[in-house]
Short mmCIF file of all heavy atoms in Angstrom, two decimals:
data_model
loop_
_atom_site.label_atom_id
_atom_site.label_comp_id
_atom_site.label_asym_id
_atom_site.label_seq_id
_atom_site.Cartn_x
_atom_site.Cartn_y
_atom_site.Cartn_z
N ARG J 1 4.60 -1.61 -5.11
CA ARG J 1 3.91 -2.56 -5.95
C ARG J 1 2.41 -2.23 -6.01
O ARG J 1 1.78 -2.21 -7.08
CB ARG J 1 4.10 -3.99 -5.44
CG ARG J 1 3.50 -5.05 -6.31
CD ARG J 1 3.52 -6.40 -5.64
NE ARG J 1 2.58 -6.56 -4.58
CZ ARG J 1 1.29 -6.82 -4.73
NH1 ARG J 1 0.79 -6.93 -5.97
NH2 ARG J 1 0.46 -6.93 -3.74
N LEU J 2 1.81 -1.94 -4.86
CA LEU J 2 0.38 -1.63 -4.81
C LEU J 2 0.05 -0.35 -5.55
O LEU J 2 -0.97 -0.25 -6.23
CB LEU J 2 -0.09 -1.56 -3.33
CG LEU J 2 -0.09 -2.95 -2.65
CD1 LEU J 2 -0.37 -2.72 -1.16
CD2 LEU J 2 -1.06 -3.91 -3.23
N LYS J 3 0.92 0.65 -5.40
CA LYS J 3 0.69 1.94 -6.13
C LYS J 3 0.79 1.73 -7.67
O LYS J 3 0.03 2.35 -8.38
CB LYS J 3 1.65 2.97 -5.66
CG LYS J 3 1.28 3.54 -4.27
CD LYS J 3 2.24 4.61 -3.85
CE LYS J 3 1.83 5.17 -2.49
NZ LYS J 3 2.75 6.26 -2.03
N GLU J 4 1.69 0.87 -8.10
CA GLU J 4 1.79 0.56 -9.54
C GLU J 4 0.56 -0.14 -10.00
O GLU J 4 0.04 0.13 -11.13
CB GLU J 4 3.02 -0.33 -9.75
CG GLU J 4 4.31 0.45 -9.67
CD GLU J 4 5.59 -0.39 -9.72
OE1 GLU J 4 5.46 -1.67 -9.76
OE2 GLU J 4 6.66 0.16 -9.68
N VAL J 5 -0.01 -1.08 -9.23
CA VAL J 5 -1.25 -1.76 -9.59
C VAL J 5 -2.35 -0.73 -9.72
O VAL J 5 -3.12 -0.71 -10.65
CB VAL J 5 -1.66 -2.87 -8.61
CG1 VAL J 5 -3.01 -3.41 -8.86
CG2 VAL J 5 -0.61 -3.97 -8.62
N LEU J 6 -2.49 0.16 -8.73
CA LEU J 6 -3.53 1.19 -8.77
C LEU J 6 -3.37 2.05 -9.97
O LEU J 6 -4.38 2.39 -10.64
CB LEU J 6 -3.41 2.02 -7.46
CG LEU J 6 -4.44 3.15 -7.31
CD1 LEU J 6 -5.87 2.58 -7.34
CD2 LEU J 6 -4.23 3.92 -6.04
N GLU J 7 -2.16 2.49 -10.25
CA GLU J 7 -1.93 3.35 -11.42
C GLU J 7 -2.32 2.70 -12.72
O GLU J 7 -2.89 3.26 -13.62
CB GLU J 7 -0.46 3.77 -11.44
CG GLU J 7 -0.13 4.80 -12.52
CD GLU J 7 1.33 5.25 -12.46
OE1 GLU J 7 1.73 5.74 -11.39
OE2 GLU J 7 2.01 5.13 -13.49
N LYS J 8 -1.95 1.38 -12.79
CA LYS J 8 -2.21 0.61 -14.01
C LYS J 8 -3.70 0.31 -14.21
O LYS J 8 -4.20 0.38 -15.31
CB LYS J 8 -1.39 -0.68 -13.96
CG LYS J 8 -1.56 -1.57 -15.17
CD LYS J 8 -0.73 -2.81 -15.02
CE LYS J 8 -0.99 -3.77 -16.13
NZ LYS J 8 -0.25 -5.04 -16.00
N CYS J 9 -4.38 -0.02 -13.10
CA CYS J 9 -5.77 -0.54 -13.20
C CYS J 9 -6.82 0.56 -13.00
O CYS J 9 -7.99 0.33 -13.34
CB CYS J 9 -6.01 -1.67 -12.22
SG CYS J 9 -4.89 -3.05 -12.53
N GLY J 10 -6.47 1.66 -12.34
CA GLY J 10 -7.43 2.70 -12.09
C GLY J 10 -8.55 2.12 -11.21
O GLY J 10 -8.32 1.49 -10.18
N ASP J 11 -9.82 2.31 -11.64
CA ASP J 11 -10.93 1.79 -10.85
C ASP J 11 -11.29 0.32 -11.16
O ASP J 11 -12.21 -0.23 -10.54
CB ASP J 11 -12.16 2.65 -11.08
CG ASP J 11 -12.04 4.05 -10.51
OD1 ASP J 11 -11.27 4.17 -9.52
OD2 ASP J 11 -12.69 4.99 -11.01
N ASP J 12 -10.62 -0.27 -12.12
CA ASP J 12 -10.91 -1.64 -12.51
C ASP J 12 -9.86 -2.57 -11.83
O ASP J 12 -9.01 -3.15 -12.48
CB ASP J 12 -10.82 -1.79 -14.04
CG ASP J 12 -11.29 -3.15 -14.54
OD1 ASP J 12 -12.09 -3.75 -13.82
OD2 ASP J 12 -10.84 -3.56 -15.60
N TRP J 13 -10.00 -2.70 -10.53
CA TRP J 13 -9.04 -3.45 -9.72
C TRP J 13 -9.11 -4.99 -9.89
O TRP J 13 -10.28 -5.46 -10.01
CB TRP J 13 -9.19 -3.14 -8.25
CG TRP J 13 -9.33 -1.73 -7.81
CD1 TRP J 13 -8.73 -0.70 -8.44
CD2 TRP J 13 -10.10 -1.21 -6.79
NE1 TRP J 13 -9.06 0.48 -7.79
CE2 TRP J 13 -9.94 0.21 -6.75
CE3 TRP J 13 -10.96 -1.76 -5.85
CZ2 TRP J 13 -10.57 1.03 -5.88
CZ3 TRP J 13 -11.62 -0.94 -4.95
CH2 TRP J 13 -11.39 0.41 -4.94
N PRO J 14 -7.99 -5.65 -9.80
CA PRO J 14 -8.07 -7.10 -9.69
C PRO J 14 -8.77 -7.55 -8.42
O PRO J 14 -8.79 -6.79 -7.41
CB PRO J 14 -6.59 -7.53 -9.70
CG PRO J 14 -5.81 -6.30 -10.00
CD PRO J 14 -6.69 -5.11 -9.78
N LYS J 15 -9.32 -8.74 -8.35
CA LYS J 15 -10.04 -9.24 -7.14
C LYS J 15 -9.18 -9.18 -5.87
O LYS J 15 -9.65 -8.77 -4.85
CB LYS J 15 -10.46 -10.68 -7.40
CG LYS J 15 -11.74 -10.80 -8.02
CD LYS J 15 -12.06 -12.33 -8.07
CE LYS J 15 -13.58 -12.51 -8.22
NZ LYS J 15 -13.90 -13.90 -8.25
N GLU J 16 -7.90 -9.52 -5.98
CA GLU J 16 -7.03 -9.60 -4.79
C GLU J 16 -6.48 -8.25 -4.36
O GLU J 16 -5.75 -8.16 -3.40
CB GLU J 16 -5.93 -10.60 -5.02
CG GLU J 16 -4.89 -10.17 -6.04
CD GLU J 16 -5.30 -10.36 -7.50
OE1 GLU J 16 -6.36 -10.96 -7.81
OE2 GLU J 16 -4.49 -9.89 -8.35
N PHE J 17 -6.88 -7.15 -5.08
CA PHE J 17 -6.31 -5.84 -4.78
C PHE J 17 -7.31 -4.95 -4.16
O PHE J 17 -8.49 -4.86 -4.52
CB PHE J 17 -5.84 -5.22 -6.11
CG PHE J 17 -5.30 -3.83 -5.92
CD1 PHE J 17 -4.11 -3.60 -5.43
CD2 PHE J 17 -6.06 -2.71 -6.31
CE1 PHE J 17 -3.57 -2.31 -5.24
CE2 PHE J 17 -5.58 -1.46 -6.19
CZ PHE J 17 -4.33 -1.21 -5.61
N ASP J 18 -6.90 -4.25 -3.13
CA ASP J 18 -7.72 -3.22 -2.44
C ASP J 18 -6.78 -2.02 -2.23
O ASP J 18 -5.81 -2.12 -1.54
CB ASP J 18 -8.23 -3.70 -1.13
CG ASP J 18 -9.12 -2.73 -0.42
OD1 ASP J 18 -9.15 -1.52 -0.78
OD2 ASP J 18 -9.85 -3.11 0.50
N PRO J 19 -7.10 -0.86 -2.86
CA PRO J 19 -6.23 0.29 -2.73
C PRO J 19 -6.08 0.78 -1.25
O PRO J 19 -5.12 1.48 -0.95
CB PRO J 19 -6.84 1.35 -3.67
CG PRO J 19 -8.24 0.91 -3.84
CD PRO J 19 -8.22 -0.55 -3.67
N ASN J 20 -7.04 0.44 -0.46
CA ASN J 20 -6.94 0.82 0.97
C ASN J 20 -5.78 0.13 1.68
O ASN J 20 -5.33 0.64 2.74
CB ASN J 20 -8.25 0.54 1.70
CG ASN J 20 -9.40 1.37 1.16
OD1 ASN J 20 -9.21 2.56 0.88
ND2 ASN J 20 -10.51 0.75 0.94
N ASP J 21 -5.28 -0.96 1.15
CA ASP J 21 -4.16 -1.66 1.74
C ASP J 21 -2.89 -0.76 1.77
O ASP J 21 -2.09 -0.90 2.71
CB ASP J 21 -3.84 -2.94 1.00
CG ASP J 21 -4.93 -4.00 1.08
OD1 ASP J 21 -5.91 -3.73 1.88
OD2 ASP J 21 -4.84 -5.01 0.41
N ILE J 22 -2.77 0.12 0.79
CA ILE J 22 -1.64 1.01 0.77
C ILE J 22 -1.53 1.78 2.06
O ILE J 22 -0.50 1.91 2.67
CB ILE J 22 -1.73 1.96 -0.48
CG1 ILE J 22 -1.69 1.15 -1.77
CG2 ILE J 22 -0.60 2.99 -0.41
CD1 ILE J 22 -2.00 1.95 -3.04
N SER J 23 -2.65 2.37 2.46
CA SER J 23 -2.61 3.22 3.68
C SER J 23 -2.32 2.37 4.92
O SER J 23 -1.66 2.87 5.88
CB SER J 23 -3.93 3.99 3.88
OG SER J 23 -5.01 3.13 4.02
N LEU J 24 -2.72 1.13 4.98
CA LEU J 24 -2.42 0.27 6.09
C LEU J 24 -0.92 0.05 6.18
O LEU J 24 -0.32 0.13 7.31
CB LEU J 24 -3.11 -1.10 5.99
CG LEU J 24 -4.66 -1.00 6.04
CD1 LEU J 24 -5.24 -2.37 5.74
CD2 LEU J 24 -5.08 -0.53 7.40
N TYR J 25 -0.30 -0.20 5.09
CA TYR J 25 1.16 -0.43 5.12
C TYR J 25 1.89 0.92 5.41
O TYR J 25 2.95 0.91 6.09
CB TYR J 25 1.65 -0.96 3.79
CG TYR J 25 1.24 -2.42 3.58
CD1 TYR J 25 0.47 -2.79 2.46
CD2 TYR J 25 1.65 -3.41 4.45
CE1 TYR J 25 0.11 -4.11 2.27
CE2 TYR J 25 1.24 -4.74 4.29
CZ TYR J 25 0.49 -5.04 3.19
OH TYR J 25 0.16 -6.37 3.02
N GLU J 26 1.40 2.00 4.95
CA GLU J 26 2.01 3.29 5.20
C GLU J 26 1.95 3.67 6.66
O GLU J 26 2.87 4.29 7.17
CB GLU J 26 1.36 4.43 4.34
CG GLU J 26 1.76 4.34 2.88
CD GLU J 26 1.00 5.33 2.02
OE1 GLU J 26 -0.08 5.80 2.36
OE2 GLU J 26 1.52 5.60 0.93
N ILE J 27 0.90 3.28 7.39
CA ILE J 27 0.78 3.52 8.81
C ILE J 27 1.97 2.81 9.54
O ILE J 27 2.63 3.43 10.42
CB ILE J 27 -0.54 3.02 9.40
CG1 ILE J 27 -1.65 3.93 8.90
CG2 ILE J 27 -0.55 2.89 10.89
CD1 ILE J 27 -3.11 3.40 9.08
N VAL J 28 2.18 1.56 9.24
CA VAL J 28 3.29 0.81 9.85
C VAL J 28 4.62 1.37 9.47
O VAL J 28 5.52 1.58 10.28
CB VAL J 28 3.21 -0.71 9.52
CG1 VAL J 28 4.34 -1.48 10.17
CG2 VAL J 28 1.84 -1.27 9.96
N GLN J 29 4.77 1.77 8.18
CA GLN J 29 6.00 2.29 7.70
C GLN J 29 6.41 3.59 8.47
O GLN J 29 7.55 3.74 8.90
CB GLN J 29 5.96 2.55 6.18
CG GLN J 29 7.25 3.08 5.56
CD GLN J 29 7.03 3.39 4.12
OE1 GLN J 29 5.99 3.93 3.67
NE2 GLN J 29 8.01 3.07 3.28
N LYS J 30 5.37 4.47 8.64
CA LYS J 30 5.63 5.70 9.34
C LYS J 30 6.03 5.47 10.81
O LYS J 30 6.86 6.15 11.39
CB LYS J 30 4.44 6.62 9.27
CG LYS J 30 4.30 7.24 7.89
CD LYS J 30 3.07 8.11 7.82
CE LYS J 30 2.98 8.62 6.37
NZ LYS J 30 1.60 8.79 5.92
N GLU J 31 5.44 4.47 11.44
CA GLU J 31 5.72 4.09 12.76
C GLU J 31 7.15 3.59 12.94
O GLU J 31 7.82 3.83 13.95
CB GLU J 31 4.73 3.04 13.25
CG GLU J 31 4.84 2.64 14.70
CD GLU J 31 4.40 3.74 15.68
OE1 GLU J 31 3.51 4.49 15.28
OE2 GLU J 31 4.91 3.77 16.80
N PHE J 32 7.63 2.92 11.97
CA PHE J 32 8.94 2.24 12.03
C PHE J 32 10.12 3.10 11.54
O PHE J 32 11.26 2.94 11.90
CB PHE J 32 8.95 0.96 11.21
CG PHE J 32 8.25 -0.18 11.85
CD1 PHE J 32 8.10 -1.37 11.19
CD2 PHE J 32 7.61 -0.07 13.07
CE1 PHE J 32 7.41 -2.43 11.72
CE2 PHE J 32 6.87 -1.12 13.64
CZ PHE J 32 6.79 -2.31 12.93
N GLU J 33 9.79 4.16 10.70
CA GLU J 33 10.83 5.03 10.18
C GLU J 33 11.56 5.72 11.34
O GLU J 33 11.01 6.20 12.23
CB GLU J 33 10.27 6.06 9.22
CG GLU J 33 9.84 5.50 7.91
CD GLU J 33 9.18 6.43 6.94
OE1 GLU J 33 8.70 7.50 7.44
OE2 GLU J 33 9.14 6.11 5.77
N GLY J 34 12.89 5.68 11.22
CA GLY J 34 13.75 6.31 12.26
C GLY J 34 14.01 5.38 13.43
O GLY J 34 14.70 5.74 14.35
N GLN J 35 13.46 4.17 13.41
CA GLN J 35 13.64 3.20 14.51
C GLN J 35 14.61 2.08 14.16
O GLN J 35 14.67 1.05 14.81
CB GLN J 35 12.27 2.62 14.91
CG GLN J 35 11.25 3.64 15.30
CD GLN J 35 11.67 4.45 16.47
OE1 GLN J 35 12.26 3.96 17.43
NE2 GLN J 35 11.42 5.75 16.45
N GLU J 36 15.38 2.29 13.08
CA GLU J 36 16.25 1.19 12.63
C GLU J 36 17.36 0.79 13.63
O GLU J 36 17.83 -0.35 13.63
CB GLU J 36 16.90 1.53 11.32
CG GLU J 36 15.99 1.78 10.17
CD GLU J 36 15.55 3.24 9.99
OE1 GLU J 36 15.46 3.94 11.04
OE2 GLU J 36 15.33 3.65 8.83
N VAL J 37 17.69 1.69 14.48
CA VAL J 37 18.74 1.40 15.50
C VAL J 37 18.13 0.95 16.76
O VAL J 37 18.57 -0.03 17.36
CB VAL J 37 19.64 2.63 15.70
CG1 VAL J 37 20.64 2.38 16.84
CG2 VAL J 37 20.33 3.07 14.45
N ALA J 38 17.12 1.62 17.23
CA ALA J 38 16.54 1.32 18.58
C ALA J 38 15.56 0.12 18.58
O ALA J 38 15.43 -0.57 19.58
CB ALA J 38 15.77 2.56 19.09
#
């Protein structure tokens, strides 16, 4: 969703959007990947 907003808006972001949030979620996603069983 955030990548779609970034692609659509470019540098003209909505107030509630910060493209840096993508990397924060990606950090957690990478940490959890492969841990679905354990």
